[in-house]
Amino acid sequence: MSTPRLESCIPLPLGDDVLEEIVDKARDWALMHGAAMRSKDNFSKDLLQLAPFVLLPSPFPRKEFEKAVSIQPILNELMHKVAHSHDFLVASLKSTIEVDEFTRKLFEIYETVNREGVSQSTSQSSSGCVIGTFWGQPCQALFGPGVFNLRNPCARGHFFLRPSGS
């Protein structure tokens, strides 16, 4: 019995010359769009390295893709409610802020804003989940946070806009 396999939306394998050109363009795109970071191990203010990214999308079953698209508004609302629940955030992050300096500093900013009060009447969030296409071809690819679809970075704008406090 063979393992079922989805067909690639891009003819593979790619020739070495095509692959090299795509990699060069992908690196340039990543640098120009802020997908770079400084090394923690060998820090230099003059050097950047590329953040990891996926060059080609992975085939993904259409039915599962459609499920992911359909639940995205529910996940957006959940993330919004979590972000606006002070008690939940305090309880959830209590042990993390004790050991993680970055999270602790972010939480201190959050606590300051919470104490001083929010002045905006509306808040917006956008998720890092990109469901898109590649080279104009439908590809039913589901990408996780931090993964870049180089052709269509936000095929479906997953934004959530609500009045503050709701």
Side-chain angles (χ1 to χ4, degrees):
M1 185 170 158
S2 65
T3 303
R5 223 180 140 109
L6 293 172
E7 292 210 19
S8 175
C9 56
I10 299 170
L12 295 175
L14 297 173
D16 288 346
D17 54 335
V18 172
L19 184 59
E20 187 174 325
E21 180 183 354
I22 292 171
V23 168
D24 286 344
K25 287 181 179 181
R27 286 179 175 158
D28 289 345
W29 190 96
L31 283 171
M32 296 302 292
H33 288 83
M37 57 191 179
R38 299 198 195 286
S39 172
K40 284 172 43 175
D41 300 327
N42 192 16
F43 180 82
S44 168
K45 66 179 183 169
D46 298 322
L47 295 175
L48 293 174
Q49 63 186 42
L50 289 172
F53 64 91
V54 174
L55 185 60
L56 300 174
S58 300
F60 199 83
R62 179 177 292 278
K63 194 173 201 171
E64 299 306 315
F65 167 80
E66 289 168 353
K67 283 182 193 176
V69 170
S70 71
I71 66 168
Q72 190 64 49
I74 297 164
L75 294 174
N76 290 349
E77 185 168 2
L78 174 63
M79 290 170 59
H80 175 83
K81 287 182 177 182
V82 164
H84 289 84
S85 174
H86 180 75
D87 293 340
F88 179 82
L89 289 173
V90 169
S92 299
L93 295 173
K94 184 179 179 184
S95 60
T96 305
I97 62 176
E98 291 174 5
V99 295
D100 183 70
E101 180 183 2
F102 180 76
T103 304
R104 181 173 52 255
K105 287 182 178 183
L106 284 177
F107 194 75
E108 287 169 1
I109 294 169
Y110 166 77
E111 289 282 55
T112 300
V113 170
N114 192 56
R115 261 192 323 276
E116 293 177 3
V118 177
S119 61
Q120 295 93 345
S121 59
T122 305
S123 67
Q124 173 186 326
S125 69
S126 61
S127 69
C129 181
V130 176
I131 301 170
T133 60
F134 191 79
W135 289 353
Q137 305 263 337
C139 203
Q140 293 79 48
L142 180 63
F143 298 96
V147 180
F148 305 97
N149 177 333
L150 301 177
R151 189 69 163 175
N152 191 348
C154 200
R156 296 189 180 260
H158 297 302
F159 293 95
F160 193 67
L161 193 62
R162 298 216 45 186
S164 289
S166 65

